[in-house]
Amino acid sequence: MGSGRSHDAARGAETGPSPPSAPADRLFRLVVESSPNGVVMVDRRGTIVLVNRETERLFGYGRDELVGQSVEQLVPGRFRASHPATRQEFFANPQSRAMGAGRDLFGVHKDGTEIPVEIGLNPIDAEEGFFVLASVIDIRPRQQAEAELRRSNEELERFAYVVSHDLQEPLRTVSSYVQLLSRRYRDRLDTDAVDFIDFAVGGVRRMQHLIADLLLFSRVGTRGAPLVPTDMQAAFDNTLAGLHAALDESQATVTADPLPMVIADAGQLAQLLTNLLGNALKFRGTEAPRAHVGATRAGRTWTISVQDNGIGIAPEYFERIFVIFQRLHSREEYAGTGVGLAICKKIVERHGGRIWVDSTPGHGARFSFTLPAADGVS
Amino acid sequence: MAIAAPPIEIMLIEDNAADVRLTVEALKDARVANRLHVARDGVEAIRMLTEPDTAMPRPDLILLDLNLPRKDGRDVLKEIKQDEALRHIPVVILSTSQAEQDILHSYRLGANAFITKPVEIDQFFEAMRSLEQFWLTVAKLTRP
């Protein structure tokens, strides 16, 4: 096929050019050759001037079957006719960018198989001429992983449904009849029998709480509202109103910085604050609980922190406390299912942020999480 | 204790045997004399209500579970409320659902009350007692 000036020059660069630039060229060739992406360099007329090993593997051609040929050879038949025009457009306005933004792209293997790909385009303005360096990624492994993830998420949703409907029903029956035994025969039973019934009732109740919390957890991902500009101050005020009784009872003081507008699901934001402030009250020290909600901004991100004066957490548990059903205390010390912070983590991650804790045992804890700012200006 | 009046005829439409018995036990504690008639699915319920030669007199009160085999509780409710001869009978929905849409939908179909099957038995017995109150004060007015 056509071998114009630029083509020859580029091939020269590939096979061993003039001595002064040799080290740079060797480096270039090594970088291109070892790239995990398929690399295809094309000149102004669409002729392939350079390919790397991954391109050979991806498309099933040897490099001598590609270099000197039209790049359209790698384009599936149904797109081949329109490709040269698209190529011209790029040369008219050469900028590094992803090819076919938003569209599904395909390459075609030597055996005719279409390969879903992602392609990055980079203009190269060299002495030898003007080229496009295309970086080609086979996205089949990623698509497989995504499909697998979708399947597993759907499975989890079905599981949550089964838990809510099919397990709660028999559990309610067990609960009802053990309670009926207690209600009707308590006076006629000895203390052992009454104890046994109380343990059974307690166990059922705990299981009901676990199931309810598990549902709450699974719904963070599946039943969330859209993420929109949200007034965190309002979410905080609502949270305080909801915690009113608990705050009064524990004589707690909660203060806050002026809170910003963030991109969030208002309901989940309130749930997040409720769980964190609820923990500040629950894991109180000897003094009356105090909590402060702080807000600091870096770039487009707000970091919100909830500082308390409670019992604190040892550093070795900083990660573990965010895992579902992990608890650091016996149920006799502190009630709970070990789901609260796992829900917090899931909410924050759904918002694209992260959550962590700093603490010295005996000196309170500070939970921090990041959320995107609503104005989005850095 | 029993008031000097004929017993209330209560119809329970419920497929879960454990829940049937629980209602029976709760009504045993009732202060008003009552007779309970049970249908175990929607089709049986409609037959008992519409065919005159069944052993059940026309009920004064219907307790209806929403999730039933063969004919769904919502359809049973709709049919009762569309039947000239039955529509005056108060229908109380018994359901495990706390979903607002289930509750609203039931009222839209003409339900007279909605009781969420409670987890705590004391709540359930309390709910049945308030049903009695409901009957003695409000529903009585509809009795011929």
Side-chain angles (χ1 to χ4, degrees):
Chain A
M1 270 210 62
S3 52
R5 187 190 60 84
S6 54
H7 174 205
D8 287 341
R11 184 181 272 184
E14 197 197 0
T15 48
S18 50
S21 58
D25 274 335
R26 209 171 35 247
L27 203 58
F28 172 74
R29 206 163 57 234
L30 274 173
V31 167
V32 168
E33 202 51 34
S34 64
S35 166
N37 301 347
V39 173
V40 181
M41 194 156 140
V42 174
D43 70 12
R44 216 173 250 288
R45 289 174 307 159
T47 307
I48 298 173
V49 297
L50 179 155
V51 296
N52 69 346
R53 194 181 304 133
E54 172 63 12
T55 303
E56 295 178 288
R57 192 199 63 79
L58 190 55
F59 291 97
Y61 293 102
R63 89 183 48 195
D64 41 338
E65 293 177 276
L66 289 173
V67 173
Q69 301 302 311
S70 160
V71 72
E72 270 77 47
Q73 183 177 334
L74 303 178
V75 178
R78 57 199 169 116
F79 303 119
R80 206 165 285 162
S82 62
H83 193 260
T86 322
R87 201 156 36 72
Q88 301 301 330
E89 279 170 35
F90 183 82
F91 276 102
N93 182 21
Q95 279 179 344
S96 289
R97 60 172 176 85
M99 183 171 158
R103 279 185 296 124
D104 291 335
L105 298 178
F106 297 91
V108 63
H109 189 271
K110 188 177 183 180
D111 67 11
T113 313
E114 287 196 11
I115 310 158
V117 291
E118 252 176 33
I119 303 177
L121 300 175
N122 300 287
I124 297 197
D125 195 0
E127 218 174 283
E128 295 85 351
F130 199 77
F131 302 94
V132 181
L133 191 68
S135 172
V136 185
I137 303 170
D138 178 359
I139 59 172
R140 280 173 299 189
R142 192 204 304 164
Q143 286 179 337
Q144 267 164 18
E146 283 169 355
E148 187 55 42
L149 192 63
R150 255 197 312 279
R151 252 199 310 281
S152 112
N153 277 340
E154 280 163 15
E155 218 163 85
L156 192 65
E157 268 177 65
R158 271 198 301 280
F159 174 71
Y161 181 85
V162 168
V163 167
S164 72
H165 289 80
D166 296 12
L167 289 190
Q168 279 185 333
E169 180 88 9
L171 193 57
R172 197 172 49 74
T173 302
V174 173
S175 163
S176 298
Y177 280 92
V178 178
Q179 289 180 65
L180 184 56
L181 269 181
S182 166
R183 184 187 167 100
R184 197 169 283 173
Y185 301 103
R186 203 174 186 92
D187 298 343
R188 278 177 265 170
L189 296 172
D190 63 22
T191 53
D192 275 354
V194 170
D195 278 352
F196 299 166
I197 287 178
D198 287 348
F199 279 123
V201 170
V204 167
R205 247 180 225 149
R206 203 160 66 244
M207 186 153 166
Q208 281 163 339
H209 285 147
L210 282 169
I211 288 175
D213 281 354
L214 191 60
L215 274 171
L216 216 53
F217 179 79
S218 74
R219 281 176 181 153
V220 171
T222 57
R223 305 288 155 87
L227 306 181
V228 294
T230 299
D231 184 358
M232 185 149 188
Q233 188 67 48
F236 173 73
D237 293 342
N238 288 340
T239 302
L240 278 198
L243 286 171
H244 183 73
L247 290 170
D248 270 5
E249 194 186 326
S250 57
Q251 300 187 312
T253 318
V254 179
T255 53
D257 293 346
L259 296 172
M261 293 291 292
V262 291
I263 302 291
D265 168 343
Q268 293 191 343
L269 194 54
Q271 194 180 358
L272 176 61
L273 289 171
T274 301
N275 287 6
L276 292 178
L277 288 171
N279 278 352
L281 303 188
K282 180 170 160 185
F283 298 103
R284 54 179 294 182
T286 46
E287 298 168 45
R290 280 194 318 275
H292 180 77
V293 181
T296 55
R297 181 162 180 165
R300 298 171 175 217
T301 303
W302 281 100
T303 299
I304 310 297
S305 61
V306 178
Q307 169 79 55
D308 68 39
N309 65 337
I311 58 172
I313 302 154
E316 61 262 39
Y317 300 124
F318 282 2
E319 302 283 332
R320 197 174 125 185
I321 53 172
F322 293 104
V323 178
I324 192 166
F325 296 143
Q326 292 289 335
R327 299 163 40 84
L328 303 183
H329 306 277
S330 72
R331 277 190 306 277
E332 283 73 26
E333 290 175 290
Y334 294 97
T337 54
V339 175
L341 286 174
I343 288 176
C344 290
K345 183 164 193 270
K346 206 167 173 201
I347 290 174
V348 171
E349 285 175 355
R350 182 180 168 237
H351 287 71
R354 51 189 203 92
I355 185 168
W356 67 97
V357 65
D358 301 294
S359 174
T360 310
H363 294 90
R366 187 176 68 231
F367 284 87
S368 307
F369 56 91
T370 59
L371 288 175
D375 53 36
V377 183
S378 26
Chain B
M1 242 353 283
I3 293 162
I8 311 175
E9 306 289 344
I10 299 176
M11 181 183 195
L12 173 63
I13 309 169
E14 167 70 76
D15 64 315
N16 181 334
D19 283 348
V20 170
R21 181 64 186 270
L22 212 53
T23 308
V24 168
E25 297 302 325
L27 288 172
K28 270 187 195 166
D29 287 6
R31 285 162 301 165
V32 183
N34 62 75
R35 273 207 303 253
L36 191 65
H37 310 270
V38 180
R40 299 298 296 273
D41 66 57
V43 173
E44 189 188 354
I46 294 297
R47 188 184 52 75
M48 284 168 69
L49 281 165
T50 54
E51 288 177 17
D53 60 337
T54 56
M56 180 183 71
R58 177 141 298 163
D60 299 308
L61 180 65
I62 296 173
L63 306 178
L64 174 64
D65 181 26
L66 280 187
N67 296 316
L68 295 169
R70 294 214 283 171
K71 190 188 287 257
D72 191 64
R74 295 159 191 85
D75 293 333
V76 172
L77 176 60
K78 206 185 315 176
E79 285 184 35
I80 291 173
K81 290 303 172 184
Q82 282 169 358
D83 188 321
E84 277 303 323
L86 302 174
R87 64 192 313 168
H88 70 277
I89 304 172
V91 177
V92 175
I93 305 297
L94 293 175
S95 172
T96 50
S97 172
Q98 296 184 36
E100 203 170 328
Q101 66 207 44
D102 275 345
I103 298 172
L104 287 176
H105 186 63
S106 299
Y107 281 121
R108 220 169 282 137
L109 289 178
N112 299 77
F114 192 103
I115 294 177
T116 300
K117 285 181 189 170
V119 163
E120 299 294 320
I121 189 144
D122 288 343
Q123 286 173 23
F124 184 67
F125 277 59
E126 193 51 49
M128 295 313 280
R129 217 191 314 274
S130 59
L131 258 192
E132 260 187 89
Q133 200 57 41
F134 169 74
W135 164 254
L136 288 170
T137 55
V138 185
K140 187 165 55 178
L141 302 174
T142 67
R143 203 176 196 187

